[in-house]
Amino acid sequence: MTLDVLHFIDNKGGNAEEIRESQRKRGLSVELVDEVIQMYTDWVKLDYDAANLSKQVNAVQKEIAAKKKAKENADELVAKKKELDAQVIAKRAESKEHEHKMRQKASTVGNLVGTGVPVSLTEDDNKTIRTWHPENKEVEKKSNILAHHEVMLRLDAIDLERGAKIAGHRGYFLTNDGIDLNQALISYGLTSCANAATRRSSLPS
């Protein structure tokens, strides 16, 4: 899930500097945050202009109604309203297109980096938070076995190339037996919960 546009806007409860700092930690563009903020400002103005034009349409409509009630010619006002209607449609379309571009740009900013995360552009500075292994047993390290992703690749159970195109580095799609394995693990987990009389819950798909 990406950051909502309002996270960039200080007077809407957001914190732009927090996002800038997160971008610095990632080694990514800080200017991108300011671009989103400027696009939001421009979008608010476009939305205001569209609302203002709508008010003008309503005002002219009232004048037309008054003219017709008095049985006076209202052709000029009708023409004016028609022109204003076209301006409203154009301005709303411009506002909607700008909003789409703004949200699209905002979606390129990653989620906030946690305060406890080591700042590094490589994995060399990763910290071990904690380790675990069964009590009273030694952990046997094997060097002559394949990593899990290598096994999945050999089984054609995973597609890393397409995953990276869609979700970036480390993104992947399960394929063939990989899908079956995933479903089997889900089924096993749900069955285990049922056997343990644990209440199961799930997000809607």
Side-chain angles (χ1 to χ4, degrees):
M1 183 179 293
T2 56
L3 296 173
D4 185 77
V5 172
L6 294 183
H7 282 104
F8 294 77
I9 311 304
D10 291 340
N11 61 7
K12 294 293 183 179
N15 190 331
E17 187 52 40
E18 186 179 29
I19 303 175
R20 292 190 189 96
E21 182 59 28
S22 180
Q23 287 290 93
R24 292 187 191 100
K25 289 180 178 179
R26 292 179 183 274
L28 299 176
S29 170
V30 175
E31 290 74 19
L32 186 59
V33 179
D34 297 312
E35 290 174 15
V36 172
I37 293 172
Q38 184 58 53
M39 291 184 78
Y40 178 83
T41 301
D42 296 340
W43 175 58
V44 169
K45 185 179 184 306
L46 286 170
D47 198 53
Y48 172 81
D49 290 344
N52 191 44
L53 284 169
S54 293
K55 288 181 180 179
Q56 292 182 48
V57 170
N58 293 336
V60 172
Q61 181 60 51
K62 288 181 180 179
E63 290 183 51
I64 293 172
K67 286 278 187 181
K68 289 185 176 181
K69 187 175 182 179
K71 296 183 179 181
E72 297 177 3
N73 187 289
D75 290 349
E76 287 187 14
L77 289 172
V78 170
K80 182 179 180 181
K81 180 180 178 297
K82 186 176 181 180
E83 182 181 339
L84 285 170
D85 283 336
Q87 291 180 31
V88 169
I89 292 172
K91 187 62 68 175
R92 284 177 176 169
E94 184 183 0
S95 176
K96 187 174 182 179
E97 182 181 1
H98 187 83
E99 180 188 6
H100 175 72
K101 291 180 179 178
M102 172 188 67
R103 295 190 182 281
Q104 198 170 41
K105 185 176 284 288
S107 70
T108 63
V109 178
N111 286 323
L112 298 177
V113 176
T115 55
V117 176
V119 179
S120 175
L121 299 183
T122 70
E123 296 185 2
D124 298 336
D125 300 318
N126 282 355
K127 292 182 179 179
T128 301
I129 305 301
R130 60 179 175 270
T131 58
W132 179 91
H133 60 82
E135 294 182 6
N136 303 320
K137 290 186 179 181
E138 292 186 8
V139 178
E140 181 183 359
K141 292 187 177 181
K142 297 181 179 180
S143 59
N144 60 340
I145 60 175
L146 295 173
H148 67 279
H149 68 278
E150 293 176 317
V151 175
M152 296 286 279
L153 284 170
R154 291 195 179 192
L155 294 173
D156 191 26
I158 193 172
D159 188 337
L160 297 177
E161 185 176 344
R162 288 182 62 204
K165 288 180 180 179
I166 299 298
H169 178 56
R170 293 184 178 178
Y172 63 90
F173 284 105
L174 294 174
T175 57
N176 302 323
D177 290 338
I179 298 172
D180 295 335
L181 175 60
N182 185 57
Q183 293 300 318
L185 290 171
I186 293 172
S187 180
Y188 172 76
L190 291 173
T191 301
S192 297
C193 287
N195 292 338
T198 302
R199 184 170 182 264
R200 292 166 290 173
S201 62
S202 175
L203 292 171
S205 57

